[in-house]
Amino acid sequence: GYFETEDQARDAEVRAKARSQSRSRNAAVTVEDFRFGKTLGVGSYSTVKLATHLASARVFAIKVIDKGHLIAKKKQQTALAEKDVLKRLGAGHPGIVRMWYTFQDQWCLYFVLDLAKNGEMKILLNRMGSLSLECSRYYSAQLVDIIRYMHSKNVIHRDLKPENLLLDADFRIKLTDFGTGKVLDDDVDKANTWVGTAQYIAPELLSSKETSKATDFWALGCIIYQMISGRFAFQGLSEFLTFEKIKKLEYSFPDGFDESPKDLVQRLLVRDPSARLGVGPPGSEIDFDALTSHPFFASIVWEMLWTSQPPALE
Ligand code: ATP
């Protein structure tokens, strides 16, 4: 036969088997590997569906993007940005939706994502009005921790808002929607034409279309204000009037707004991006300690933020 000895034949067989096993282990994941379930949400260019990975029985959220739609709506750049940014962030932080696989067929792109079982923070806020000080503190701290990680990877999100803060099975934050995310090559991104969501837009975007890491800090201030007070920091009767208020820093705290978060919000909602708490002049590293050591966070145990039990929702 082909082989000199039986041993050689057996060796060859073992090697062939190992090769084929490793091939199937590395084999590309396809749409056939999942059973699709209910629709979790519909975005401007995608539908997100519950899906079970058949071999492992693990449940994911799969973002299904129709290619025709993508082209018709000129959203190719958004989808690419989302994929690039999520790849770059990898599995590095428990508070960021992880992208496990991507694949495509003739019609669609598929992004296989961590499932955030409890949906959007926005819906929680709509339902509850506002959150207790304890909950607001916890979610603010999680958001600070996520931004710290993101910025360490040179990624800015640029569209932080309660809609994009998803909640996992334990009601911890999973940040999503990196379609407007940006990997910074430089400190400041000048050539951008993108505009985010009216109520959370930083003044520098309205005046000069410049974004930097400080842009995410503005949105953080808006979100902390909203969780505690149950209303937007900046809200006019129209988008235009909302922008006017942002430019003039026209907002006020309702009676009873606790002093320490008030101080924090006032240090974040500052017109000059470099004057926001922890930011500093262009070119300097963000000083996250200035944020994490703010009195509002005094009771937060940062090392346990993602493992300790979240406070009861109230
Ligand atoms: P848009 O561009 O309008 O922001 P999009 O097309 O980027 O939308 P997403 O906002 O990412 O789509 O997703 C659409 C909806 O699906 C979201 O509103 C959210 O409720 C739900 N969803 C998205 N990702 C997940 C996830 N990982 N787990 C659970 N639900 C999700």
Side-chain angles (χ1 to χ4, degrees), residues 8-307:
Q8 275 182 337
R10 208 176 308 118
D11 275 350
E13 201 179 301
V14 168
R15 274 198 302 275
K17 209 166 170 183
R19 260 201 311 277
S20 105
Q21 270 173 359
S22 94
R23 211 175 15 249
S24 62
R25 217 178 299 129
N26 297 330
V29 176
T30 75
V31 71
E32 309 284 320
D33 294 315
F34 296 87
R35 187 177 60 243
F36 284 78
K38 68 168 181 178
T39 298
L40 294 165
V42 180
S44 56
Y45 73 102
S46 70
T47 302
V48 179
K49 286 184 163 284
L50 194 70
T52 307
H53 184 244
L54 294 167
S56 67
R58 262 196 79 150
V59 185
F60 295 94
I62 300 191
K63 187 162 183 161
V64 184
I65 303 168
D66 181 278
K67 289 182 186 176
H69 221 90
L70 199 65
I71 293 164
K73 290 204 161 186
K74 299 196 166 61
K75 287 275 192 175
Q76 293 104 312
Q77 209 43 51
T78 310
L80 268 180
E82 181 154 26
K83 184 174 162 184
D84 285 352
V85 169
L86 281 176
K87 277 238 166 92
R88 186 182 178 99
L89 296 176
H93 198 283
I96 297 176
V97 164
R98 175 172 172 190
M99 190 167 66
W100 291 80
Y101 316 100
T102 57
F103 47 84
Q104 55 179 305
D105 58 22
Q106 197 181 336
W107 304 278
C108 297
L109 306 176
Y110 301 85
F111 296 172
V112 181
L113 307 167
D114 276 332
L115 171 66
K117 243 186 170 158
N118 282 306
E120 299 172 11
M121 165 82 76
K122 181 186 175 180
I123 295 183
L124 190 75
L125 277 173
N126 287 349
R127 208 169 57 218
M128 305 193 50
S130 59
L131 300 181
S132 68
L133 203 58
E134 191 58 23
C135 283
S136 302
R137 187 190 337 274
Y138 173 77
Y139 288 119
S140 304
Q142 288 209 322
L143 193 48
V144 167
D145 199 58
I146 292 167
I147 297 174
R148 169 162 51 185
Y149 173 77
M150 224 167 47
H151 286 185
S152 79
K153 296 284 173 197
N154 253 346
V155 169
I156 48 176
H157 188 284
R158 305 197 295 185
D159 199 13
L160 293 175
K161 54 180 172 180
E163 228 175 308
N164 291 332
L165 308 179
L166 302 182
L167 298 163
D168 70 9
D170 299 315
F171 281 93
R172 297 194 182 96
I173 295 181
K174 289 259 183 219
L175 176 63
T176 187
D177 203 353
F178 286 87
T180 50
K182 171 92 193 165
V183 177
L184 279 182
D185 318 311
D186 210 335
D187 254 3
V188 179
D189 178 41
K190 292 189 174 141
N192 92 84
T193 49
W194 166 86
V195 187
T197 307
Q199 287 89 352
Y200 308 89
I201 287 185
E204 64 270 22
L205 265 163
L206 296 173
S207 55
S208 66
K209 296 241 186 321
E210 287 188 1
T211 48
S212 65
K213 289 175 176 174
T215 307
D216 287 339
F217 281 52
W218 175 274
L220 173 67
C222 293
I223 294 169
I224 298 174
Y225 177 100
Q226 189 183 351
M227 287 194 290
I228 295 174
S229 71
R231 58 194 211 202
F232 296 121
F234 301 95
Q235 169 84 311
L237 287 173
S238 66
E239 217 165 66
F240 174 80
L241 292 172
T242 302
F243 294 160
E244 289 302 300
K245 289 191 169 188
I246 292 169
K247 284 193 254 179
K248 290 189 236 154
L249 198 70
E250 195 182 308
Y251 78 106
S252 59
F253 292 93
D255 289 343
F257 198 103
D258 204 82
E259 282 304 318
S260 85
K262 183 174 181 176
D263 181 80
L264 176 57
V265 169
Q266 282 171 333
R267 289 170 194 271
L268 291 169
L269 297 184
V270 174
R271 241 175 320 197
D272 174 4
S274 67
R276 288 174 204 151
L277 183 64
V279 175
S284 58
E285 286 290 307
I286 302 265
D287 173 17
F288 272 93
D289 290 346
L291 265 172
T292 55
S293 63
H294 187 277
F296 181 49
F297 295 125
S299 62
I300 293 287
V301 183
W302 293 91
E303 299 72 36
M304 308 263 289
L305 196 55
W306 300 94
T307 47

